[in-house]
Amino acid sequence: MKGPTADPGAPPLGSDEELRQRLSLVAETDAVRGVLFNAVLEVARNQGGDAAAQRCLEAGGEKKFLDFFSYPSSKYLEVLYTAARLRSSGQEDFEKALRHLGQQAAENFLLSAAGRTLLVLVQKDPHRLINTLPWAIQVGISGVQVSVRRTGPWSGILTVHRDFSPRPFVEGGILATFVAASVKGVKIRSWPTGPSTNEYEISWQ
């Protein structure tokens, strides 16, 4: 299940205008852990070699990112969009690239101490996992406000305020997390509810 990725009246996903608009929503205090930067760099390197990874580093204005340090969210967007553009040849491919990058970022996070703790805590229980997602997101990304409401025995909605990330990227990360927790039949769709607020509906079997 996949929801709309383009907001009505919004510039095309992946365009310079869309990126500028997204960057305008980011506060100076918003930050992202280096482990998520490095996940994006790993995908770029696997796809295009060291030259692609270097272009992403240059976009972020750093020589390297340390996993447990935090860096400005604006730099993360620049790195993420550079990596997605290197992988894509148009708007549709850009969306696919974002989903892949989101999956890889989540997989890398789950290999970290915090990620391993998350998987131990949820014990393959989707109800525990969806309730723990706000903590997991806020470990990696500061400045966001996340809440969960259950909509049924096999579904719930994650609401993210001050959400600067492209929705396909977040969808990919959520999907990878549920797959890593051995949850079956996961489906995700999302929609905007405000300039920087998105909702992600998650269901499973």
Side-chain angles (χ1 to χ4, degrees):
M1 187 185 305
K2 185 173 74 173
T5 55
D7 306 344
L13 181 66
S15 66
D16 289 342
E17 182 184 359
E18 190 263 340
L19 175 57
R20 285 195 299 270
Q21 187 179 85
R22 196 174 294 279
L23 286 168
S24 71
L25 302 174
V26 178
E28 290 184 4
T29 54
D30 292 343
V32 175
R33 293 279 186 182
V35 63
L36 299 182
F37 281 86
N38 287 326
V40 174
L41 291 174
E42 181 179 328
V43 176
R45 184 174 288 107
N46 289 341
Q47 179 73 18
D50 290 340
Q54 184 61 36
R55 285 184 60 182
C56 293
L57 281 170
E58 291 170 357
E62 299 284 344
K63 293 183 178 179
K64 65 179 180 178
F65 295 100
L66 302 177
D67 280 354
F68 294 104
F69 277 56
S70 292
Y71 301 87
S73 296
S74 56
K75 290 191 175 186
Y76 188 64
L77 281 174
E78 296 282 8
V79 171
L80 178 61
Y81 271 56
T82 299
R85 285 168 175 169
L86 288 171
R87 288 182 56 89
S88 66
S89 59
Q91 185 175 351
E92 182 179 353
D93 288 342
F94 186 82
E95 179 180 331
K96 290 179 180 178
L98 285 174
R99 290 182 190 281
H100 180 77
L101 288 162
Q103 291 171 357
Q104 186 64 56
E107 289 170 3
N108 279 32
F109 169 76
L110 293 170
L111 293 174
S112 70
R116 292 194 298 270
T117 299
L118 170 68
L119 293 178
V120 170
L121 287 174
V122 302
Q123 298 180 356
K124 301 182 180 181
D125 184 337
H127 303 284
R128 290 183 180 179
L129 178 52
I130 196 171
N131 289 332
T132 310
L133 276 179
W135 169 81
I137 292 172
Q138 289 165 332
V139 165
I141 304 172
S142 66
V144 298
Q145 301 170 11
V146 191
S147 61
V148 172
R149 69 178 186 273
R150 298 294 300 278
T151 55
W154 301 285
S155 63
I157 291 179
L158 192 75
T159 302
V160 187
H161 299 282
R162 296 189 50 72
D163 186 10
F164 62 82
S165 299
R167 296 202 318 277
F169 176 79
V170 179
E171 288 180 6
I174 293 173
L175 179 61
T177 303
F178 272 77
V179 169
S182 301
V183 179
K184 305 299 184 183
V186 184
K187 297 179 180 179
I188 302 172
R189 67 188 187 104
S190 67
W191 54 86
T193 60
S196 58
T197 300
N198 295 310
E199 290 192 334
Y200 300 88
E201 182 182 64
I202 309 164
S203 62
W204 57 87
Q205 295 177 353

